[in-house]
Amino acid sequence: MVRTDRNQSSVTRFILLGFSDYPHLQAALFLVFLVVYTITLVGNLGIILVVRINPKLQTPMYFFLRHLSFLDICYSTVFTPKLLETLVMEDRSISFKACMVQFYFVCAFVITEMFMLAVMAYDRFVAVCNPLLYTVAMSRKLCALLVAGTYTWGGLCSLTITYSLLTLTYCGPNIINHFSCEYSAVLSLSCSDPSFSQIVCFVISTFNETTSLLIILTSYVFIVVTIVKMPSTGGLRKAFSTCASHLTAITIFHGIILLLYCVPNSKSSWLFIKVATVFFTVMIPMLNPLIYSLRNKDVKDTVRNVINSKLLSQSMQSRHRH
């Protein structure tokens, strides 16, 4: 007979089904996700380096953007390698401990990014609504405290949800109908009452989503009011251009979260949940550097200057050789 103590779990390994229902697509999916992951790493590392080397980009906005890129690298790295492994390896298993560790870090990075986007909205609010006081209001100390606060809050929330999963008993089956240790997929394998974990997850998720969206919406209501009052169209265009990239990133990020919230947790919706999770964890980290760099003149100029200086140094070296 299987024991059902609070911390007793007879399952030591989980098997990730991933996209095994579509064997003919495995190779193509592997190549697509590998290319996307490579672009994600190169793009986000590029943003971090560009912000570091350009003195013009030593502002609060780019300080937060650097951390956003770091978070994108982190949570896509927690997810994507395991996803790639499930597409090419016959052994799709993951240990119980590794599963919980993966869940903890993904959850922590996603919550942190949620509030990092809210902090960036507040930063844009101060920049547009109080431009003369911007450097004073958004001091280095305040920026560091805001970033530290988002990481701490993300870690604490994730720790609480992960603990609620660890209190459950898992006595089989051990097959996760997902490519990662996603919350609802893991919860469905529990053979003890999951109500405590569900309440914890619901309260934390609802609070975080509502709070972060309220900060973002309030900030942008004030931004829109200020922009509308601006007398010159030049000032309006410049003010809007600083917010357009951020609004695009927010819309994609929160749009997919709200979409996943609305999907019923049934067998018929598992494929949709998998696809939406892939987009959220694999595609968004790739899109963010593209969104911010393509719409940003300073970033594009820095990249152009770096490429031109590299080409110039190479041509000078080749001349010296001849």
Side-chain angles (χ1 to χ4, degrees):
M1 187 177 171
V2 176
R3 285 175 65 195
T4 55
D5 299 351
R6 197 168 168 226
N7 293 320
Q8 177 66 28
S9 298
S10 58
V11 171
T12 56
R13 295 192 78 78
F14 290 124
I15 295 163
L16 300 166
L17 284 185
F19 293 99
S20 56
D21 293 341
Y22 307 92
H24 55 291
L25 292 174
Q26 302 274 318
L29 286 172
F30 177 84
L31 286 172
V32 168
F33 294 144
L34 182 63
V35 168
V36 168
Y37 182 54
T38 306
I39 294 168
T40 299
L41 291 179
V42 172
N44 284 292
L45 283 169
I47 290 276
I48 292 167
L49 289 170
V50 162
V51 171
R52 279 187 73 88
I53 62 175
N54 189 344
K56 278 177 74 179
L57 305 182
Q58 304 305 309
T59 63
M61 175 181 154
Y62 292 104
F63 174 71
F64 297 131
L65 180 57
R66 215 167 76 196
H67 281 278
L68 186 74
S69 290
F70 173 72
L71 287 167
D72 283 337
I73 290 169
C74 287
Y75 85 75
S76 88
T77 300
V78 173
F79 248 109
T80 315
K82 194 65 191 175
L83 168 60
L84 294 172
E85 190 185 308
T86 61
L87 289 167
V88 292
M89 303 287 283
E90 282 194 28
D91 180 18
R92 295 192 178 97
S93 67
I94 184 171
S95 72
F96 180 81
K97 283 181 181 177
C99 187
M100 291 298 126
V101 168
Q102 186 195 50
F103 174 79
Y104 169 78
F105 280 110
V106 168
C107 187
F109 291 135
V110 168
I111 294 169
T112 304
E113 178 150 336
M114 189 183 286
F115 281 96
M116 194 66 71
L117 288 168
V119 165
M120 289 172 82
Y122 174 72
D123 169 71
R124 291 298 83 212
F125 155 72
V126 177
V128 174
C129 300
N130 299 297
L132 298 174
L133 295 170
Y134 179 59
T135 50
V136 179
M138 297 302 290
S139 63
R140 279 192 171 191
K141 189 179 178 182
L142 178 64
C143 292
L145 282 170
L146 287 169
V147 166
T150 61
Y151 280 103
T152 306
W153 182 248
L156 286 172
C157 289
S158 184
L159 192 66
T160 309
I161 299 170
T162 307
Y163 173 76
S164 77
L165 282 176
L166 288 168
T167 61
L168 300 174
T169 307
Y170 303 90
C171 48
N174 67 336
I175 295 167
I176 294 177
N177 190 9
H178 212 283
F179 56 82
S180 69
C181 295
E182 190 265 340
Y183 178 79
S184 54
V186 174
L187 195 75
S188 66
L189 301 182
S190 169
C191 49
S192 55
D193 181 15
S195 55
F196 169 70
S197 182
Q198 286 173 320
I199 291 165
V200 166
C201 186
F202 176 77
V203 169
I204 289 173
S205 302
T206 307
F207 175 80
N208 288 340
E209 184 66 15
T210 307
T211 308
S212 60
L213 275 178
L214 269 175
I215 294 166
I216 290 162
L217 290 171
T218 307
S219 297
Y220 274 98
V221 164
F222 281 107
I223 286 167
V224 168
V225 169
T226 305
I227 288 172
V228 168
K229 287 179 180 177
M230 281 181 178
S232 65
T233 52
L236 189 148
R237 198 180 294 114
K238 189 182 178 185
F240 184 75
S241 69
T242 63
C243 302
S245 303
H246 186 237
L247 268 175
T248 308
I250 287 167
T251 306
I252 296 169
F253 185 88
H254 283 280
I256 295 172
I257 286 180
L258 292 169
L259 199 65
L260 285 165
Y261 258 80
C262 299
V263 176
N265 189 10
S266 62
K267 286 184 179 180
S268 59
S269 59
W270 273 116
L271 179 61
F272 178 82
I273 290 169
K274 283 183 197 176
V275 172
T277 309
V278 162
F279 196 87
F280 187 78
T281 55
V282 180
M283 300 300 285
I284 286 180
M286 180 196 74
L287 291 173
N288 277 347
L290 295 174
I291 290 165
Y292 283 100
S293 60
L294 292 174
R295 295 192 65 93
N296 192 296
K297 187 178 180 294
D298 291 328
V299 172
K300 284 191 281 189
D301 287 347
T302 308
V303 172
R304 202 176 290 118
N305 291 339
V306 169
I307 292 167
N308 289 341
S309 64
K310 287 279 183 188
L311 290 172
L312 188 67
S313 65
Q314 282 177 358
S315 64
M316 292 286 283
Q317 282 172 3
S318 61
R319 278 179 192 173
H320 283 307
R321 281 175 198 153
H322 295 302

